[in-house]
Amino acid sequence: MNLPQFLNLLDTYGTNLQAWPDAAAAQQFLDRTPVARQALNAAKNIEQSLRNDVTVAPAELSARILQSLPAQDMAARSLWQELLLVLPKQQRWLRVASALAPLLFGFLLGYSSDFVSQEADDGYYLWVYADNLEATLGEFSSNSDFAEEEDPP
Amino acid sequence: MRAVQRQDKNAFQQLMTRHLDDLFSYAIRLTRDTNNAEDLVQETWFRVWSSGSSYTAGRVKFSTWLYRILYNVFVDQYRRQQRSAAAIEDVQDDHELSDLQANAQLKDRLDCALKQLPNNQRAALLLFHQQGFSTREVAHIMHLNVRAAESLLVRARRALRVSLTQNIGDEESMP
């Protein structure tokens, strides 16, 4: 192992020699090369400095974040959203099925009530027809133009 | 997190308190500006609140999901600033951050070296060494494959090492 190889491994695997492909060779090289030890120590200092690099967030930031949240509490949430949250996300078919359920329910309701409305509609149209027929017949009887157009005997 | 998904503000506050300082530390290193870091963190938590239902427990760690949001927001903001031709680089380097971190010589040098790194290398390096994520998690957060994340880390470490070594050399050569 030479210095460029050592530095390349240092950049690739970091300062934990145990994570290197050939830790024993690296250790031997390290023991006999002061420049390599210097490079390793510098890299360790960098890593430690980064690990300890915690900047405390300003005290008011937390409050500002909380204030910025939209006022959407439990009471304002729909039953539908609640139901969707309860369903496990891994089983996506359940979510799809739950979304389609109201549609299916509406379709079935409409389909089953079709027979009832059909009968009602029939009655309505008969009544309307009869009502209109009376008026129409009255008009027919007083309409001479229409009488003239009757088929000849 | 399930409580947060049910829009429980107390649970949200607890979760935020647990992660706020780490997230802010990462954001301030990433943006190199206190105000931008605050905005970034605020937007991140806002998205956690409003899109909490998109988090699937067990698939990734919450912290991985959280930092992925922050990274997305950072990239969005950076692109917006680039589009509006606002110079994000180097303008804000000389204030605030040094006030916060001016305790040790190494920290100062590290600040300078980190500032010189490209954004993606800095992001990867901080995620790995500052926040303790694995390479796989770094890749997930940054929308990369593992090899690309490893490559970024190698380049970042090398750039940092070279930069710091040069700085040390410069200081040592000074009378």
Side-chain angles (χ1 to χ4, degrees):
Chain A
M1 186 178 286
N2 56 29
L3 189 62
Q5 285 173 334
F6 179 88
L7 293 177
N8 191 39
L9 288 167
L10 183 62
D11 294 335
T12 306
Y13 297 102
T15 59
N16 179 15
L17 291 190
Q18 299 310 313
W20 292 26
D22 193 350
Q27 188 60 55
Q28 281 176 2
F29 181 75
L30 202 60
D31 290 342
R32 64 172 190 268
T33 318
V35 185
R37 281 200 299 276
Q38 221 176 354
L40 182 68
N41 286 337
K44 276 183 177 171
N45 283 339
I46 292 169
E47 286 185 8
Q48 188 165 8
S49 193
L50 284 170
R51 250 196 317 275
N52 297 335
D53 178 32
V54 177
T55 308
V56 177
E60 70 277 6
L61 180 60
S62 175
R64 201 176 345 135
I65 291 168
L66 286 171
Q67 279 173 359
S68 73
L69 299 180
Q72 186 187 18
D73 55 10
M74 290 292 285
R77 291 166 62 80
S78 69
L79 178 64
W80 181 245
Q81 282 174 304
E82 289 301 316
L83 282 171
L84 280 179
L85 274 178
V86 168
L87 293 172
K89 273 195 140 184
Q90 287 81 1
Q91 293 171 313
R92 293 204 177 271
W93 66 270
L94 261 177
R95 296 174 77 86
V96 175
S98 65
L100 290 175
L103 196 67
L104 189 66
F105 179 72
F107 176 75
L108 287 174
L109 193 69
Y111 186 74
S112 63
S113 63
D114 192 38
F115 297 109
V116 179
S117 64
Q118 186 72 44
E119 289 166 16
D121 286 350
D122 287 347
Y124 174 75
Y125 284 122
L126 277 173
W127 180 81
V128 169
Y129 178 72
D131 187 48
N132 283 344
L133 186 65
E134 275 178 32
T136 310
L137 284 174
E139 283 179 25
F140 282 169
S141 62
S142 62
N143 191 338
S144 55
D145 292 341
F146 185 80
E148 284 170 11
E149 288 177 12
E150 280 181 350
D151 289 338
Chain B
M1 186 56 198
R2 194 162 274 277
V4 174
Q5 287 177 323
R6 281 188 236 108
Q7 307 275 290
D8 182 338
K9 273 194 179 175
N10 288 331
F12 179 82
Q13 192 169 5
Q14 280 178 19
L15 195 67
M16 190 172 65
T17 305
R18 200 182 309 155
H19 293 277
L20 192 61
D21 286 346
D22 283 340
L23 202 66
F24 185 71
S25 304
Y26 178 60
I28 203 165
R29 281 290 191 197
L30 209 55
T31 60
R32 295 165 288 162
D33 179 78
T34 308
N35 292 330
N36 284 347
E38 286 183 19
D39 290 347
L40 189 59
V41 169
Q42 185 170 344
E43 177 62 23
T44 301
W45 283 109
F46 180 84
R47 290 194 190 186
V48 169
W49 176 260
S50 55
S51 314
S53 58
S54 68
Y55 172 70
T56 309
R59 199 166 145 254
V60 290
K61 283 195 304 190
F62 171 74
S63 55
T64 308
W65 185 71
L66 180 68
Y67 280 78
R68 189 175 159 107
I69 294 176
L70 185 132
Y71 185 74
N72 289 346
V73 177
F74 171 69
V75 170
D76 286 350
Q77 286 182 356
Y78 179 75
R79 283 181 183 152
R80 259 202 308 275
Q81 283 173 333
Q82 289 286 89
R83 273 201 293 272
S84 65
I88 193 167
E89 300 292 337
D90 302 325
V91 175
Q92 302 148 333
D93 281 357
D94 295 331
H95 64 97
E96 294 194 273
L97 196 63
S98 56
D99 296 340
L100 290 164
Q101 307 275 348
N103 298 330
Q105 228 181 359
L106 176 64
K107 278 209 164 190
D108 284 348
R109 291 206 305 269
L110 193 59
D111 282 347
C112 293
L114 281 171
K115 284 171 194 168
Q116 287 164 9
L117 289 181
N119 281 332
N120 56 355
Q121 287 183 23
R122 190 168 62 250
L125 190 87
L126 292 171
L127 285 170
F128 189 87
H129 288 296
Q130 185 195 45
Q131 302 298 327
F133 287 108
S134 68
T135 314
R136 188 175 293 274
E137 288 167 333
V138 172
H140 180 78
I141 290 167
M142 296 181 68
H143 305 268
L144 300 169
N145 59 45
V146 176
R147 274 181 168 272
E150 281 171 350
S151 169
L152 269 184
L153 281 168
V154 171
R155 278 184 281 149
R157 284 193 199 109
R158 183 171 300 141
L160 210 58
R161 180 174 54 77
V162 169
S163 171
L164 287 172
T165 311
Q166 274 177 350
N167 286 346
I168 291 167
D170 292 346
E171 280 170 19
E172 283 172 352
S173 66
M174 282 169 72

